[in-house]
Every structure is written in C-alpha cells, then in structure tokens.
Coordinates of all heavy atoms in Angstrom, one line a residue:
M15 N 14.6 11.7 20.7 CA 15.4 12.8 19.9 C 14.5 14.0 19.6 O 13.3 13.8 19.2 CB 15.8 12.0 18.5 CG 16.5 12.9 17.6 SD 16.9 12.0 16.1 CE 17.0 13.3 15.0
S16 N 15.1 15.1 19.8 CA 14.2 16.2 19.5 C 14.5 16.9 18.1 O 15.8 16.7 17.7 CB 14.5 17.3 20.5 OG 15.8 17.9 20.5
T17 N 13.7 17.4 17.5 CA 13.8 18.0 16.2 C 14.2 19.4 16.3 O 13.7 20.2 17.1 CB 12.6 17.8 15.3 OG1 11.6 18.3 16.0 CG2 12.5 16.4 15.0
E18 N 15.0 19.9 15.4 CA 15.5 21.4 15.5 C 14.5 22.3 14.6 O 14.9 23.4 14.3 CB 16.9 21.5 14.9 CG 17.9 20.6 15.4 CD 18.1 19.3 14.6 OE1 18.3 19.5 13.4 OE2 18.2 18.3 15.2
F19 N 13.4 21.9 14.2 CA 12.5 22.7 13.5 C 11.1 22.6 14.1 O 10.8 21.8 14.9 CB 12.5 22.2 12.0 CG 12.6 20.8 11.8 CD1 11.6 19.9 12.0 CD2 13.9 20.2 11.5 CE1 11.7 18.6 11.8 CE2 14.0 18.9 11.3 CZ 12.9 18.0 11.5
N20 N 10.4 23.7 13.8 CA 9.0 23.7 14.3 C 8.0 23.1 13.4 O 7.9 23.5 12.2 CB 8.6 25.2 14.5 CG 9.4 25.8 15.6 OD1 9.7 25.2 16.6 ND2 9.8 27.1 15.3
V21 N 7.3 22.1 13.8 CA 6.4 21.3 13.0 C 5.1 22.1 12.9 O 4.6 22.5 14.0 CB 6.1 19.9 13.6 CG1 5.0 19.4 12.9 CG2 7.3 19.1 13.4
T22 N 4.6 22.5 11.8 CA 3.3 23.3 11.6 C 2.1 22.4 11.7 O 1.2 22.6 12.4 CB 3.4 23.9 10.2 OG1 4.6 24.6 10.0 CG2 2.2 24.9 10.1
E23 N 2.3 21.2 11.2 CA 1.1 20.4 11.1 C 1.6 18.9 11.0 O 2.7 18.5 10.6 CB 0.3 20.5 9.8 CG -1.1 20.0 9.8 CD -1.9 20.5 8.6 OE1 -2.1 21.8 8.5 OE2 -2.4 19.7 7.9
T24 N 0.8 18.0 11.7 CA 1.1 16.5 11.6 C 0.1 15.8 10.8 O -1.1 16.0 11.0 CB 1.2 16.0 13.0 OG1 2.2 16.7 13.7 CG2 1.5 14.5 13.1
L25 N 0.6 15.0 9.9 CA -0.3 14.1 9.1 C 0.0 12.7 9.5 O 1.0 12.2 9.4 CB 0.1 14.3 7.6 CG -0.6 13.4 6.6 CD1 -2.1 13.7 6.5 CD2 0.1 13.5 5.2
D26 N -1.1 12.0 9.9 CA -1.1 10.6 10.3 C -1.6 9.7 9.3 O -2.8 9.7 9.0 CB -2.0 10.5 11.6 CG -1.9 9.1 12.2 OD1 -1.4 8.1 11.6 OD2 -2.2 8.9 13.4
V27 N -0.6 9.0 8.6 CA -1.1 8.1 7.6 C -0.7 6.7 8.0 O -0.4 5.8 7.1 CB -0.3 8.3 6.2 CG1 -1.0 9.6 5.6 CG2 1.2 8.5 6.3
K28 N -0.7 6.4 9.3 CA -0.4 5.1 9.9 C -1.5 4.0 9.3 O -2.6 4.3 9.3 CB -0.4 5.1 11.4 CG 0.8 6.0 11.9 CD 1.1 5.8 13.4 CE 0.0 6.2 14.4 NZ 0.2 7.6 14.6
G29 N -1.0 3.0 8.9 CA -1.9 2.0 8.3 C -2.1 2.0 6.9 O -2.5 1.1 6.3
A30 N -1.8 3.1 6.3 CA -1.8 3.3 4.8 C -0.6 2.7 4.1 O 0.5 2.8 4.7 CB -2.1 4.8 4.6
S31 N -0.8 2.2 2.9 CA 0.4 1.6 2.2 C 0.5 2.4 0.9 O -0.5 3.1 0.5 CB 0.2 0.1 2.0 OG -1.0 -0.2 1.4
C32 N 1.6 2.2 0.2 CA 1.9 2.9 -1.0 C 0.7 2.7 -2.0 O 0.1 1.7 -2.1 CB 3.1 2.2 -1.6 SG 3.7 3.0 -3.1
P33 N 0.3 3.8 -2.6 CA 0.9 5.1 -2.7 C 0.3 6.2 -1.7 O 0.6 7.4 -1.8 CB 0.7 5.5 -4.1 CG -0.7 5.1 -4.4 CD -0.7 3.7 -3.7
M34 N -0.6 5.8 -0.9 CA -1.4 6.7 0.0 C -0.6 7.7 0.7 O -0.9 8.8 0.9 CB -2.4 6.0 0.8 CG -3.6 5.4 -0.1 SD -4.1 6.5 -1.4 CE -4.8 7.8 -0.6
P35 N 0.5 7.3 1.5 CA 1.3 8.2 2.2 C 1.8 9.4 1.4 O 1.7 10.6 1.8 CB 2.5 7.4 2.8 CG 1.9 6.0 2.9 CD 1.0 5.8 1.7
V36 N 2.2 9.1 0.1 CA 2.7 10.2 -0.7 C 1.6 11.0 -1.2 O 1.7 12.3 -1.2 CB 3.5 9.6 -1.9 CG1 3.8 10.7 -2.9 CG2 4.9 9.0 -1.4
V37 N 0.5 10.4 -1.5 CA -0.7 11.1 -2.1 C -1.2 12.1 -0.9 O -1.5 13.3 -1.2 CB -1.8 10.1 -2.5 CG1 -3.1 10.9 -2.7 CG2 -1.3 9.3 -3.7
N38 N -1.3 11.6 0.3 CA -1.9 12.3 1.3 C -0.8 13.5 1.7 O -1.3 14.6 2.1 CB -2.1 11.5 2.5 CG -3.3 10.5 2.3 OD1 -4.1 10.8 1.5 ND2 -3.4 9.4 3.0
T39 N 0.5 13.1 1.6 CA 1.4 14.1 1.9 C 1.4 15.3 1.0 O 1.5 16.5 1.4 CB 2.9 13.6 2.0 OG1 3.0 12.5 3.0 CG2 4.0 14.5 2.2
K40 N 1.3 15.0 -0.3 CA 1.2 16.0 -1.3 C 0.0 16.9 -1.0 O 0.1 18.1 -1.2 CB 1.2 15.5 -2.7 CG 1.1 16.6 -3.8 CD 0.6 16.0 -5.1 CE 0.6 17.1 -6.1 NZ -0.2 18.4 -5.7
S41 N -1.1 16.3 -0.8 CA -2.4 17.0 -0.5 C -2.3 17.9 0.7 O -2.6 19.2 0.6 CB -3.5 16.0 -0.3 OG -4.7 16.8 0.0
A42 N -1.6 17.4 1.8 CA -1.5 18.3 3.0 C -0.5 19.3 2.8 O -0.7 20.5 3.3 CB -1.0 17.4 4.1
I43 N 0.6 19.2 2.0 CA 1.6 20.1 1.8 C 1.1 21.3 1.0 O 1.4 22.5 1.1 CB 2.9 19.6 1.3 CG1 4.2 20.5 1.6 CG2 2.9 19.5 -0.2 CD1 4.9 20.0 2.9
D44 N 0.1 21.0 0.1 CA -0.5 22.1 -0.8 C -1.2 23.1 0.1 O -1.4 24.2 -0.3 CB -1.4 21.3 -1.7 CG -0.7 20.7 -2.9 OD1 0.5 20.9 -3.1 OD2 -1.4 19.9 -3.6
D45 N -1.7 22.6 1.3 CA -2.5 23.6 2.1 C -1.6 24.5 3.0 O -2.1 25.3 3.8 CB -3.5 22.8 3.0 CG -4.5 22.1 2.1 OD1 -4.8 22.4 1.0 OD2 -5.1 21.0 2.6
L46 N -0.3 24.2 3.0 CA 0.6 24.9 4.0 C 1.2 26.1 3.3 O 1.2 26.2 2.1 CB 1.6 23.9 4.5 CG 1.2 22.7 5.3 CD1 2.4 22.0 5.8 CD2 0.4 23.1 6.5
A47 N 1.7 27.0 4.1 CA 2.3 28.2 3.6 C 3.8 27.9 3.4 O 4.4 26.9 4.0 CB 2.1 29.3 4.6
E48 N 4.4 28.8 2.6 CA 6.0 28.7 2.4 C 6.7 28.7 3.8 O 6.4 29.5 4.6 CB 6.4 29.7 1.5 CG 7.9 29.6 1.2 CD 8.4 30.8 0.3 OE1 7.5 31.3 -0.5 OE2 9.5 31.2 0.3
G49 N 7.6 27.7 3.9 CA 8.4 27.6 5.2 C 7.8 26.7 6.3 O 8.5 26.4 7.1
D50 N 6.6 26.3 6.0 CA 5.9 25.4 7.0 C 6.4 24.0 6.9 O 6.9 23.6 5.9 CB 4.4 25.3 6.7 CG 3.6 26.6 7.2 OD1 4.3 27.5 7.8 OD2 2.4 26.7 7.0
I51 N 6.4 23.3 8.1 CA 7.0 21.9 8.1 C 5.8 20.9 8.4 O 5.1 21.2 9.3 CB 8.0 21.8 9.2 CG1 9.1 22.8 8.9 CG2 8.5 20.4 9.3 CD1 10.5 22.3 8.6
L52 N 5.8 20.0 7.5 CA 4.7 18.9 7.7 C 5.3 17.7 8.3 O 6.4 17.2 7.7 CB 4.0 18.6 6.4 CG 3.0 17.4 6.4 CD1 1.8 17.8 7.2 CD2 2.6 17.0 5.1
E53 N 4.9 17.1 9.5 CA 5.4 15.9 10.0 C 4.5 14.8 9.5 O 3.3 15.0 9.7 CB 5.4 16.0 11.6 CG 5.7 14.7 12.3 CD 5.6 14.8 13.7 OE1 4.5 15.2 14.2 OE2 6.6 14.4 14.4
V54 N 5.0 13.8 8.9 CA 4.2 12.7 8.4 C 4.6 11.4 9.2 O 5.7 11.0 9.4 CB 4.5 12.4 6.9 CG1 3.6 11.3 6.4 CG2 4.3 13.7 6.1
L55 N 3.5 10.8 9.9 CA 3.7 9.6 10.6 C 3.2 8.5 9.8 O 2.0 8.5 9.4 CB 2.9 9.7 11.9 CG 3.3 11.0 12.7 CD1 2.3 10.9 14.0 CD2 4.7 11.0 13.2
A56 N 4.0 7.5 9.5 CA 3.7 6.3 8.6 C 4.1 5.0 9.2 O 5.0 5.0 10.1 CB 4.2 6.5 7.3
T57 N 3.4 4.0 8.9 CA 3.7 2.6 9.4 C 4.4 1.7 8.2 O 4.9 0.7 8.4 CB 2.6 1.9 10.0 OG1 1.5 2.0 9.2 CG2 2.2 2.5 11.4
D58 N 4.2 2.3 7.0 CA 4.7 1.6 5.8 C 6.2 1.8 5.7 O 6.6 3.0 5.5 CB 3.9 2.1 4.6 CG 4.4 1.5 3.3 OD1 5.2 0.5 3.4 OD2 4.0 2.0 2.2
P59 N 7.0 0.7 5.8 CA 8.5 0.9 5.6 C 8.9 1.5 4.3 O 9.9 2.2 4.1 CB 9.1 -0.5 5.7 CG 8.0 -1.3 6.3 CD 6.7 -0.6 6.0
G60 N 8.1 1.3 3.3 CA 8.3 1.8 1.9 C 8.1 3.3 1.8 O 8.6 3.9 1.0
S61 N 7.6 3.9 2.9 CA 7.3 5.3 2.9 C 8.7 6.0 3.0 O 8.7 7.2 2.5 CB 6.5 5.8 4.0 OG 7.0 5.5 5.3
M62 N 9.7 5.4 3.6 CA 11.1 6.0 3.6 C 11.5 6.4 2.3 O 11.9 7.5 2.1 CB 12.0 5.1 4.3 CG 11.8 4.8 5.8 SD 11.8 6.3 6.9 CE 13.5 6.5 7.2
S63 N 11.5 5.5 1.4 CA 12.0 5.7 0.0 C 11.0 6.5 -0.8 O 11.3 7.3 -1.7 CB 12.4 4.4 -0.7 OG 11.3 3.6 -0.7
D64 N 9.7 6.1 -0.6 CA 8.7 6.9 -1.4 C 8.6 8.3 -1.2 O 8.6 9.1 -2.1 CB 7.2 6.2 -1.0 CG 7.1 4.7 -1.5 OD1 8.0 4.3 -2.3 OD2 6.2 4.1 -1.1
I65 N 8.6 8.7 0.1 CA 8.5 10.1 0.4 C 9.8 10.9 0.0 O 9.9 12.0 -0.5 CB 8.2 10.4 1.8 CG1 6.7 10.0 2.1 CG2 8.3 11.9 2.3 CD1 6.0 10.0 3.4
D66 N 10.9 10.2 0.2 CA 12.2 10.7 -0.2 C 12.3 11.0 -1.7 O 12.6 12.1 -2.2 CB 13.3 9.6 0.2 CG 14.8 10.2 -0.2 OD1 14.9 11.5 -0.2 OD2 15.7 9.5 -0.2
G67 N 11.8 10.0 -2.5 CA 11.8 10.2 -3.9 C 10.8 11.2 -4.4 O 11.1 11.9 -5.4
W68 N 9.7 11.2 -3.8 CA 8.6 12.1 -4.1 C 9.2 13.7 -3.9 O 9.1 14.5 -4.7 CB 7.4 11.9 -3.4 CG 6.4 13.2 -3.4 CD1 5.6 13.5 -4.5 CD2 6.3 14.2 -2.4 NE1 4.9 14.7 -4.2 CE2 5.3 15.1 -3.0 CE3 6.8 14.4 -1.2 CZ2 4.9 16.2 -2.3 CZ3 6.4 15.5 -0.5 CH2 5.4 16.4 -1.0
A69 N 9.8 13.8 -2.7 CA 10.3 15.1 -2.4 C 11.5 15.6 -3.4 O 11.5 16.7 -3.7 CB 10.8 15.2 -0.9
A70 N 12.3 14.6 -3.7 CA 13.4 15.0 -4.5 C 13.0 15.3 -6.0 O 13.6 16.2 -6.5 CB 14.4 13.7 -4.7
G71 N 11.9 14.7 -6.4 CA 11.4 15.0 -7.6 C 10.3 16.1 -7.7 O 9.7 16.3 -8.8
T72 N 10.0 16.7 -6.7 CA 8.9 17.7 -6.6 C 9.4 19.2 -6.2 O 10.1 19.3 -5.2 CB 7.9 17.3 -5.4 OG1 7.4 15.9 -5.8 CG2 6.6 18.3 -5.4
Q73 N 9.1 20.0 -7.1 CA 9.6 21.4 -6.9 C 8.7 21.9 -5.8 O 7.5 21.7 -5.7 CB 9.4 22.2 -8.2 CG 10.0 23.6 -8.1 CD 10.1 24.3 -9.5 OE1 9.8 23.6 -10.5 NE2 10.5 25.5 -9.5
G74 N 9.4 22.8 -4.9 CA 8.6 23.5 -3.8 C 8.5 22.7 -2.6 O 7.9 23.2 -1.6
V75 N 9.2 21.5 -2.5 CA 9.2 20.9 -1.3 C 10.6 20.4 -0.9 O 11.4 20.2 -1.9 CB 8.3 19.6 -1.2 CG1 6.7 20.1 -1.3 CG2 8.6 18.6 -2.2
E76 N 10.9 20.2 0.3 CA 12.3 19.7 0.7 C 12.1 18.7 1.9 O 11.4 19.1 2.8 CB 13.1 21.0 1.2 CG 14.4 20.5 1.9 CD 15.0 21.7 2.6 OE1 14.4 22.8 2.8 OE2 16.2 21.5 3.0
L77 N 12.7 17.6 1.8 CA 12.6 16.6 2.8 C 13.7 17.0 3.8 O 14.9 17.0 3.5 CB 13.0 15.2 2.3 CG 12.8 14.0 3.4 CD1 11.5 13.9 3.9 CD2 13.2 12.7 2.6
V78 N 13.3 17.4 5.0 CA 14.2 18.0 6.0 C 14.9 16.8 6.8 O 16.1 16.8 7.1 CB 13.5 18.9 7.0 CG1 14.5 19.6 8.0 CG2 12.7 20.0 6.3
D79 N 14.0 15.8 7.2 CA 14.5 14.8 8.0 C 13.7 13.6 7.8 O 12.5 13.7 7.6 CB 14.6 15.3 9.4 CG 15.4 14.3 10.3 OD1 16.3 13.5 9.8 OD2 15.4 14.5 11.6
Q80 N 14.2 12.3 8.3 CA 13.4 11.2 8.4 C 13.9 10.4 9.6 O 15.1 10.4 9.8 CB 13.6 10.3 7.2 CG 12.9 10.8 5.9 CD 13.0 9.8 4.8 OE1 14.0 9.4 4.5 NE2 11.8 9.5 4.1
E81 N 13.0 9.8 10.3 CA 13.4 9.0 11.5 C 12.7 7.6 11.3 O 11.5 7.6 11.2 CB 12.9 9.7 12.9 CG 13.6 11.0 13.1 CD 13.1 11.8 14.3 OE1 12.4 11.1 15.1 OE2 13.3 12.9 14.4
E82 N 13.5 6.7 11.6 CA 13.1 5.3 11.4 C 12.8 4.7 12.9 O 13.7 4.5 13.6 CB 14.0 4.4 10.6 CG 13.3 3.1 10.2 CD 14.2 2.3 9.2 OE1 15.1 3.1 8.5 OE2 14.1 1.2 9.1
G83 N 11.6 4.7 13.3 CA 11.2 4.2 14.6 C 11.0 2.7 14.6 O 11.2 2.0 13.5
T84 N 10.6 2.1 15.7 CA 10.3 0.6 15.7 C 9.1 0.3 14.9 O 9.1 -0.6 14.1 CB 10.1 0.2 17.1 OG1 10.2 1.3 18.1 CG2 11.2 -0.9 17.6
D85 N 8.0 1.2 15.2 CA 6.7 0.9 14.4 C 6.3 2.1 13.5 O 5.6 1.9 12.6 CB 5.6 0.7 15.5 CG 5.9 -0.5 16.4 OD1 6.3 -1.5 15.9 OD2 5.6 -0.3 17.6
V86 N 6.9 3.2 13.8 CA 6.5 4.4 13.1 C 7.7 5.1 12.3 O 8.7 5.2 13.0 CB 5.8 5.4 14.0 CG1 5.4 6.7 13.2 CG2 4.5 4.8 14.6
Y87 N 7.4 5.4 11.1 CA 8.4 6.2 10.3 C 7.9 7.6 10.4 O 6.8 8.0 10.0 CB 8.5 5.6 9.0 CG 8.9 4.2 9.0 CD1 7.9 3.2 9.0 CD2 10.2 3.8 8.9 CE1 8.3 1.9 9.1 CE2 10.6 2.4 8.9 CZ 9.6 1.5 9.1 OH 9.9 0.1 9.0
K88 N 8.8 8.5 10.7 CA 8.6 9.9 10.7 C 9.3 10.7 9.6 O 10.5 10.5 9.4 CB 8.9 10.6 12.1 CG 8.2 10.1 13.3 CD 8.6 10.8 14.5 CE 7.8 10.2 15.7 NZ 8.3 10.8 16.9
H89 N 8.5 11.5 8.9 CA 9.1 12.3 7.7 C 8.8 13.7 8.0 O 7.6 14.0 8.4 CB 8.4 11.9 6.4 CG 8.5 10.4 6.3 ND1 9.4 9.6 5.8 CD2 7.4 9.5 6.6 CE1 9.1 8.3 5.8 NE2 7.9 8.3 6.3
Y90 N 9.8 14.6 7.7 CA 9.5 16.0 8.0 C 9.9 16.7 6.6 O 10.8 16.7 6.0 CB 10.5 16.6 9.1 CG 10.3 15.9 10.3 CD1 11.0 14.8 10.7 CD2 9.3 16.4 11.3 CE1 10.7 14.1 12.0 CE2 9.0 15.8 12.5 CZ 9.7 14.7 12.7 OH 9.5 14.1 14.0
V91 N 8.8 17.3 6.1 CA 8.8 17.9 4.8 C 8.5 19.4 4.8 O 7.5 19.9 5.5 CB 7.8 17.3 3.8 CG1 7.8 17.9 2.4 CG2 7.9 15.8 3.8
R92 N 9.5 20.3 4.3 CA 9.2 21.8 4.4 C 8.7 22.1 3.0 O 9.2 21.8 2.0 CB 10.5 22.5 4.7 CG 10.4 24.0 4.6 CD 11.8 24.6 4.8 NE 12.3 24.5 6.2 CZ 13.4 24.1 6.5 NH1 14.2 23.6 5.6 NH2 13.8 24.0 7.7
K93 N 7.7 23.1 3.0 CA 7.2 23.8 1.8 C 8.2 24.9 1.5 O 8.3 25.7 2.4 CB 5.8 24.2 1.9 CG 5.2 24.7 0.7 CD 3.7 24.8 0.8 CE 3.1 25.3 -0.6 NZ 1.7 25.2 -0.5
T94 N 8.8 24.9 0.4 CA 9.8 25.9 0.1 C 9.4 27.0 -0.9 O 10.0 28.0 -1.1 CB 11.2 25.2 -0.5 OG1 10.7 24.5 -1.7 CG2 11.7 24.3 0.5
E95 N 8.1 26.8 -1.4 CA 7.7 27.9 -2.2 C 6.2 27.8 -2.3 O 5.5 26.9 -1.9 CB 8.3 27.9 -3.6 CG 8.0 26.6 -4.4 CD 8.7 26.6 -5.8 OE1 10.0 26.9 -5.8 OE2 8.0 26.3 -6.8

C-alpha cells in the first residue's frame, strides 16, 4: 500500500513498549517543521491507541494515518503548527 503523503522523517521505535513510542514520537515531532510528516515504526500493539490518543490530545499535531502490519505498526503524524 502506498501512502499519499511525503514522509519527512522515519522514527524507528520497534522493540520499545509504552510509553516510549509516544515519548520518542513527541521528541521527534518537536524537531520537524510545520507540515512535515513523521513516520513511526513500532512493534507494540498498544502504540495504535497510544499514538492516536496522544495526537488527539496534543495541539499542533495530526494523526494522518495508521497501518497495522503483521509485525510492525506504522503511524503517520503531521506537524500542523
């Protein structure tokens, strides 16, 4: 499946469990410019709801897409401000 947006940076948090995927995602998104997209690769199934919840409650970020693979969960977060 191809994504319709341009990924600016990829964050690999495979092997990390809650809350590290969210902590690392926040840190990485802080370094990006407005409009940039961060791709997050995680192996923790909980990251689906964790990153969704974090993005929903965080101003300046938008969860664009999530893909649930066999071993890897992909999250696409856009910095909106």
Side-chain angles (χ1 to χ4, degrees):
M15 179 178 153
S16 68
T17 49
E18 308 97 48
F19 33 81
N20 295 322
V21 171
T22 309
E23 195 171 303
T24 298
L25 174 67
D26 185 341
V27 291
K28 296 194 288 274
S31 54
C32 184
M34 290 321 293
V36 169
V37 170
N38 293 338
T39 298
K40 183 197 178 310
S41 176
I43 208 94
D44 285 346
D45 295 337
L46 297 182
E48 182 179 332
D50 284 354
I51 304 247
L52 177 68
E53 175 185 50
V54 182
L55 306 177
T57 48
D58 177 11
S61 67
M62 293 298 280
S63 59
D64 292 348
I65 290 179
D66 184 23
W68 166 78
T72 304
Q73 191 170 348
V75 299
E76 170 195 12
L77 184 61
V78 186
D79 195 14
Q80 288 184 309
E81 294 174 18
E82 194 167 339
T84 6
D85 300 316
V86 177
Y87 301 88
K88 296 181 181 178
H89 314 275
Y90 299 91
V91 184
R92 176 185 287 124
K93 185 164 185 173
T94 57
E95 57 183 55

